[in-house]
Amino acid sequence: VVSTQSTGSSGINAEYGERNKGRTMEELEVQSILQQQAADRAKKFQMERHSELEADKRSAQMVKEEEDEFQRYADAVIETAKERGRPVGPLIKAKNAGAGGGNGPIFEGKSNLRPSYQANDAYGNQLPRFANGAAKRVNELSSTSKRLGFVW
């Protein structure tokens, strides 16, 4: 009777061993598929990033060429205005390098944008002005010279 039970239990263990071996093979296949997908995603991300950087380089080159062309044109217009005795101050101000029309620093990484304020960050994003009509009326009604700008 004992030998029959031991044979039956070894048959069950053999069956579980075969199942576990099949599961292990399936798990290894799934793991290799997931690793391949992760590698494909990383490669796709690198390729997209590389293409974005190339597009940025081309865009920066085009902006530089346009700026050079504008500077040449502006020089010609200023010379013509000088010859005709016209005021050239506004033309010289418009000729200043950098888009944006401001007096702030030129941000090299952002298409030579010249914001109209000094930014605290390296991105050069201009913050909106929130001076509306109500704020202007409060400033007009208050005597700021006496209160140093405080309105109670």
Side-chain angles (χ1 to χ4, degrees):
V1 178
V2 174
S3 64
T4 311
Q5 289 178 353
S6 66
T7 308
S9 67
S10 67
I12 292 173
N13 286 338
E15 185 179 326
Y16 284 131
E18 289 297 320
R19 284 185 193 172
N20 287 340
K21 186 176 181 183
R23 286 183 189 160
T24 304
M25 294 300 290
E26 289 175 5
E27 289 172 0
L28 289 175
E29 288 176 22
V30 169
Q31 185 177 10
S32 67
I33 291 171
L34 292 176
Q35 287 175 346
Q36 182 64 35
Q37 288 176 347
D40 290 344
R41 278 193 303 270
K43 185 176 180 180
K44 181 180 177 184
F45 175 76
Q46 284 180 340
M47 290 175 63
E48 288 175 355
R49 181 70 178 146
H50 179 70
S51 65
E52 287 175 5
L53 290 175
E54 288 298 319
D56 288 345
K57 286 180 185 177
R58 286 192 304 270
S59 176
Q61 180 65 26
M62 288 174 52
V63 167
K64 183 181 182 317
E65 290 172 3
E66 288 176 6
E67 180 68 22
D68 292 342
E69 182 179 349
F70 173 76
Q71 292 299 325
R72 287 190 301 272
Y73 172 74
D75 288 336
V77 170
I78 289 172
E79 286 301 317
T80 304
K82 281 182 184 177
E83 291 171 1
R84 294 181 181 178
R86 303 281 182 169
V88 294
L91 296 174
I92 291 173
K93 185 175 180 183
K95 179 187 177 283
N96 286 342
N103 296 321
I106 295 176
F107 286 94
E108 296 293 331
K110 193 161 186 173
S111 300
N112 293 334
L113 174 70
R114 183 185 290 271
S116 59
Y117 71 99
Q118 181 121 12
N120 290 331
D121 61 357
Y123 298 111
N125 295 328
Q126 288 195 22
L127 299 174
R129 290 189 62 202
F130 292 111
N132 58 13
K136 290 180 183 177
R137 282 193 300 275
V138 169
N139 288 337
E140 290 171 359
L141 295 175
S142 67
S143 174
T144 57
S145 62
K146 293 180 183 176
R147 299 186 208 160
L148 300 174
F150 295 102
V151 178
W152 280 266

